[in-house]
Amino acid sequence: MPEWKEEILRRLESLKLPAARETEIAEEISQHLEDRYRELLAMGKAPAEAQRLAFAEINEGDLLARNLRALEKAATRDDAPLGGGNRELWGGLAQDVRYGLRMLAKSPGFTAVAILTLALGIGANTSIFSLIDGILMRSLPVRDAQSLVVLKWSAHKNPEAHNANIYGDCGNETFGGPSGSSSCSFPEPFFRDISEQSGIFSSVAAFANEGPLNISGNGMASVLTAEAISGQCFSTLGVRPALGRLIVSADDSTSAPPVVVLNYGYWKSRFGASPSVVGRSIRLNNVPFTIIGVAEPRFDSLSPGHIRDVWVPLSVLPQLHPTPEQKTRADDIYTWWLVIVGRLRPGVTIGQAQAAASVIFRNEMLHGVKALSKPEDNPQVAALPAQAGLAGNASGFSRELYVLMMAVGIVLLIACANVAGLLLSRATARQKEIAVRLTLGAGRKRVVRQLLTESVMLSVIGGVVGSLFAVWGSHAIIGLMAAGSDEPLGFSPGIDGRVLMFTFAASVLTGVIFGAAPALRSLRVDLTPALKEGAGGSAAEGGTGRWFGFFSVGNGLVIAQVALAVVALVGAGLLVRTLQNVKSVDPGFDTRNVLTFGLDPTLIGYKTAQADELYRNLQERLAAMQQVDSVSYSRVPLLGRDYSMSDFSMPGTVKGESADAGTLEVGADFFSTMHMRLLAGRGFDAAALAQAEVVRERAETQRAVQKPGGSGAAVNPKAAARSRAPDKAAGQANEAALPVVINQRFVEKYYAKSNPLGQHFGQREANAKTGASADPGYVIVGVVSDAKYQDLQSDIDPTVYMPSSGGDVTFEVRSAMSPGTLTALVRRVVSQMDSNLPVIAMHTETQLIEQLVSDQNMIAQVSGFFGVLALALACIGLYGLLAYEVSRRTREIGVRMALGARQVDVLRLVVGRGILLAVAGAAVGIGIALGVTRYLASLLYGVHPDDPVTMVGVAVLLVLVALAACYIPARRATQVDPIVALRYE
C-alpha cells in the first residue's frame, strides 16, 4: 500500500541516506509489509485490522523495526555503522554487549548448551595449564632467581670416582651412560675452589639430599627427610626465617654445636606451629640437635617437588653417619655428592661464569693430584639458570603433562567446532535480522563485530564456568599423581593470576575462532528472499537440494569434530592398553598377601653385627605368629623402584673385561617367602649369612677403590639414597668365595652350555697400585626362577642374590589373610624390640605395584576421560546438525511422505547421512592419529603407536555412538505428519 512506503521514507529521513538507497529500502520493507498484510487477510482478518497489525509489528516487536530505530539512534550520536574507521569499529561496543546479552537471554537453551560446551573445553585446558604452570613453569622459591645458576658437568667418559650420588635434582643425569656422562654432583674440594671465585659469584652454596633420618625426642620415633647445606646456602638463596634464625657460615664448622632448621610445613604438622620450638633439642640419628629456626613458608627445597623436612649443616654429617667414608668425604676428590649453586655478581654473564668454572674443573680433572679424566674425555662445566637447570621431580611429569595438554587442546577444538555449528544454525534463523541491518545501511564490519561480540561473550562466560571445573580437575589429577609416592608431591598448582590470564586469553581466542566463520558466513545473504521469507521457511541456504550436499560448512565442522575425537580416543586407547599390559605382567613371584616394611637400625647407631642379630630375632618373632606364614628380608623390596648393579669378572672373558648383573642382598627364606621357584641347588643357610657378616665387617675396616660408574654409582635417581651395590662387589678381602644364588637369565647369558652350580666368578687378584686386596669372588650354590626386580616394565636382567648383612633392609611378611591386618601387629612387635626404631614405608606388595603403575594409571584415566568427553562433544555436534536439518526440512519430509515415502526410508535417509559423516570423520581421524601417536611411543608398553586393534576399535565405537546420536533426530523425522508439514512455516 502506498502509505506504507511513505511512512518508511519518513522514518528514513533522519538517516540522511542517498535518495536511491532510501527508495530501495522503502520498496523492500513495503514488500515485506505487503506480504504480511496478505497473510493476515488469509487468516480472516478485516482489511483495516490487517493493516493495523502489520504496522504494529514494525512499531513494536519486529526485528526490522528494532534495527531501524537502532540505526536512527546511532545516526543521531554520529556513530552509525554506515562508514568506516576506528570510531565505527569500537564506538558502539557497549551497545553491542547489551544487545548481545538480550539476544543470548532470548535463547536460553542455545546459550546454556554453548556455555556448557565451552566451559568443558576451556576448563579442561585451564586445569592442565595450571598443572604445567605449577610444576614446570613456576619460579624457584628464592630471591632473584634470574641471577642464580647451577653447575652441571659433562664428559665423554666418567671421571674416576669412588662413589657418585645422583638424587635427580637436575633431571636427566647420566653418570656412566653409554653416550657420555653428565651430572650436577661434584666433590666437596671442587665446591671450595668455586667458592673462592669472588670475581664471578657474589656467593656460592652447596646442598645434598641426606635421605631419611631418625628423629626422637618429640614423641614416637619416626623418620624425616633432610638436606645437608653449606653455611651460606640460605643467604645465597635469599631465604628468610619465619621464626628464629637460619643456618649461617659459623654453624657449618666441625667445632660448632649441631643445629637444625625446620621446614614450615613440618613445623606445623610435627610441632603444632609452636613458637617455643626455637631452642628445643631433638635427636637425629641419636645425635642431639638444637632447633634454631623455621624457614619461610614458600621455601621447602631448591629442587622442585622434593620437600625436605629439615636442613642441617654439611659439617654435622660425620656425626649423623659415623663411617670412614663420611669422615673423609670433605677432602675426597673421588666422592661426588654435592649440588653447587652460585649467585652471579652484577654485570657478570652466565657465559663468563661457565668459562671460569670450566677452567677450574678441567684443571682438577686433568692436572690434579691424580688425573681423573683424559683430555679426550673433554670434561667441562655448564652454568645453567637455576630455574631451568634444577628440574627436580618436575622432569618426571613433563611428558605426561604435555600429552594431556594435547588431549585437552583437542577437546577445546571440538568444543569450538561444536559451538560454531550451533552458531551457523542460529545464523540461518537470524538471516532476516542480518538482511534488515544490511538493507538499512549497516556496515558489514559492524554486523561482524556484533556477532563476534556475542561469540566472545559466550566464550568468556564459558571460561568463568570452566575455571570452576579447572579447580576440581587440577586437584583430581594432583591426587592421581601423588598416589605413586610415599612422600608429598611437592607441587601445589592453583588458579593464580597467570592461570587466569591464560583462561581469559583462551576464552577470547576461542570466541574469535568459533565465531569468525558464522559471522562472515552470515553476510552471504540474499537480501530480497531473506526479507520475504517466513520465520520457519525452508528456502534458506540453498533449498532442498542441499539436503544431500555433503561439502557444506556444517558437515565440515561435524567431520572435524569426529576426526579430532578419533585422535583423542586413539591416544587414550593406547595409554589404557599400556596400563593393562603393565598390570598383566607376570612379576615372577606371588604378590598376594605380602606386607613389606623397612628398617634402618644404623640410623640410631646399630653396628653391623647388632643389626644382623636384630633382623634374625625379628624374623623369628614374626614367623612364630599364627597369622604369619613366612618372613624374610632383603636390602630393597622387589618392584620397589630401587635397583643395584655390579660388574663382575667372568671366567673365559678377555682380561680386563667384565660382565654386569643386578645384585640384591636377601635374608634366609627369601625365595620361599616370595614364592620364587628354586630350580637347582639350595638357598642361603646360617653359614652363608655368617660369612656375609664377616665380609661386611672387613668392608668397614678396609675399603678398596671401586670401579667408576659401577657399584658406587646410583642407578636410579629416584632411589639413589638407598640404592647401592653390596660392598662385596667392590672386591673386599675374603678367605672364601661368597655363596650366591643366580637367576635363570644369568644362567642363559653366562652359563648356557655348562652347569652353573659350584662355578666361581668375580675373582680378583690383589693390586698394589690401587690398594685393592685379592678377592676370591663368588660361588654359585643355587639357581632361582626369574623375577622382576626394579619395576614391571624393565627387562629381567641377570641377577645375583647375595646373603644379606647389616645396613637397612625391607622385611617381607607373607600371611594367609589380608596383609593390611598385620600393620598394627608389626609396629607393636618392632616397638617392643626397640622403641627408638621407626618403621619405614609399610606397604603391601599390591600397593607397591599400584605405585609402580601410578604414572600410567594417571595418564590413562585422565586421557580416557578427555577422550570420552571428546567423543560426547563430537556426537552432540552430530546430533545437533541432524536435529537442525530435520527441523529445517520439515516441509520437505512432509512432501516425501505425502508422495509415498515410508518411515523406514526417512529413517534411512537421516541416519545414513549421519553415519556417512561419522565414517568420513573416522577415516580422517585415523589418518591424523597415525601421524600423531608416534609421539606417545615413549609412554607405551606392549603396544605399538599405530596398533590396528586400537584404531579399528575406536572407529567401531565411534560409529556405534554416532548411530545412537543419529537415531533420535531420525526417529523424530519419521513422526512428521505430512498434512502439518505441508502447512509448516
Side-chain angles (χ1 to χ4, degrees), residues 497-516:
R498 185 156 53 180
V499 175
L500 290 177
M501 287 180 62
F502 168 84
T503 304
F504 177 76
S507 300
V508 173
L509 182 61
T510 298
V512 173
I513 289 174
F514 73 73

Side-chain angles (χ1 to χ4, degrees), residues 649-651 736-738 751 756-763 776-780:
S649 61
M650 299 296 297
L738 186 69
Y751 293 100
L757 294 181
Q759 297 283 352
H760 289 252
F761 68 94
Q763 303 95 327
Y778 311 91
V779 58
I780 300 173

Side-chain angles (χ1 to χ4, degrees), residues 180-440:
S181 301
S182 176
S183 176
C184 285
S185 294
F186 289 90
E188 191 167 346
F190 176 75
F191 164 62
R192 290 196 294 269
D193 292 340
I194 288 293
S195 300
E196 297 174 359
Q197 298 300 304
S198 57
I200 300 295
F201 300 104
S202 59
S203 59
V204 180
F207 65 90
N209 174 30
E210 275 308 301
L213 297 179
N214 179 75
I215 178 174
S216 57
N218 189 56
M220 186 176 65
S222 62
V223 294
L224 50 74
T225 58
E227 192 166 69
I229 61 174
S230 63
Q232 286 191 311
C233 189
F234 284 125
S235 60
T236 300
L237 302 180
V239 178
R240 301 173 183 270
L243 185 69
R245 69 174 181 87
L246 304 179
I247 293 171
V248 295
S249 297
D251 298 314
D252 189 16
S253 170
T254 55
S255 60
V259 295
V260 61
V261 171
L262 306 181
N263 173 286
Y264 189 88
Y266 185 75
W267 170 58
K268 290 179 64 177
S269 62
R270 177 83 186 203
F271 296 92
S274 171
S276 62
V277 72
V278 175
R280 186 182 302 181
S281 178
I282 59 174
R283 300 185 72 85
L284 301 179
N285 287 7
N286 268 348
V287 177
F289 278 75
T290 300
I291 300 173
I292 60 172
V294 178
E296 61 180 299
R298 67 170 182 160
F299 184 79
D300 48 29
S301 174
L302 192 60
S303 182
H306 292 154
I307 297 179
R308 309 306 183 198
D309 297 324
V310 300
W311 292 272
V312 298
L314 292 173
S315 59
V316 304
L317 295 183
Q319 299 181 59
L320 288 172
H321 309 288
T323 63
E325 297 85 356
Q326 194 64 250
K327 293 177 180 178
T328 60
R329 189 159 63 171
D331 299 314
D332 189 1
I333 194 65
Y334 298 101
T335 299
W336 301 60
W337 64 295
L338 289 179
V339 179
I340 302 174
V341 294
R343 187 170 295 281
L344 299 176
R345 282 195 176 279
V348 176
T349 66
I350 289 181
Q352 292 171 327
Q354 180 169 299
S358 285
V359 168
I360 298 174
F361 185 72
R362 284 184 62 87
N363 183 64
E364 190 69 54
M365 295 299 101
L366 303 178
H367 310 295
V369 177
K370 185 178 186 301
L372 305 184
S373 297
K374 299 178 180 179
E376 56 268 25
D377 296 334
N378 191 28
Q380 56 186 316
V381 167
L384 306 174
Q387 180 68 48
L390 290 170
N393 206 25
S395 60
F397 298 108
S398 58
R399 292 183 307 167
E400 289 83 354
L401 289 177
Y402 287 130
V403 168
L404 293 179
M405 195 67 194
M406 182 178 68
V408 296
I410 290 175
V411 171
L412 183 58
L413 289 176
I414 294 175
C416 289
N418 203 319
V419 177
L422 292 175
L423 287 177
L424 281 174
S425 302
R426 191 165 179 262
T428 303
R430 297 178 66 180
Q431 281 186 344
K432 186 184 296 181
E433 172 195 347
I434 304 300
V436 172
R437 284 170 172 259
L438 297 174
T439 300
L440 294 179

Side-chain angles (χ1 to χ4, degrees), residues 686-772:
L689 296 175
Q691 186 174 351
E693 184 176 333
V694 172
V695 171
R696 179 72 67 178
E697 289 176 349
R698 295 193 178 187
E700 293 176 354
T701 58
Q702 180 183 6
R703 192 170 188 83
V705 176
Q706 295 177 330
K707 183 178 178 180
S711 60
V715 176
N716 183 2
K718 292 184 178 179
R722 297 189 61 196
S723 178
R724 59 186 184 275
D727 292 330
K728 281 85 74 175
Q732 303 303 326
N734 298 278
E735 295 181 356
L738 186 69
V740 297
V741 174
I742 59 175
N743 68 344
Q744 284 178 282
R745 184 74 184 90
F746 194 99
V747 174
E748 293 169 0
K749 187 172 183 179
Y750 300 118
Y751 293 100
K753 298 180 179 180
S754 61
N755 181 6
L757 294 181
Q759 297 283 352
H760 289 252
F761 68 94
Q763 303 95 327
R764 188 175 60 196
E765 298 176 356
N767 190 324
K769 183 177 180 180
T770 62

Side-chain angles (χ1 to χ4, degrees), residues 671-689:
F671 305 118
S672 60
T673 298
M674 301 308 294
H675 289 184
M676 296 170 62
R677 292 177 295 117
L678 193 62
L679 304 178
R682 59 179 174 81
F684 297 130
D685 53 17
L689 296 175

Side-chain angles (χ1 to χ4, degrees), residues 790-806:
Q790 181 179 5
D791 54 47
L792 291 169
Q793 293 175 253
S794 300
D795 293 333
I796 296 178
D797 293 325
T799 305
V800 178
Y801 296 95
M802 303 176 177
S804 176
S805 176

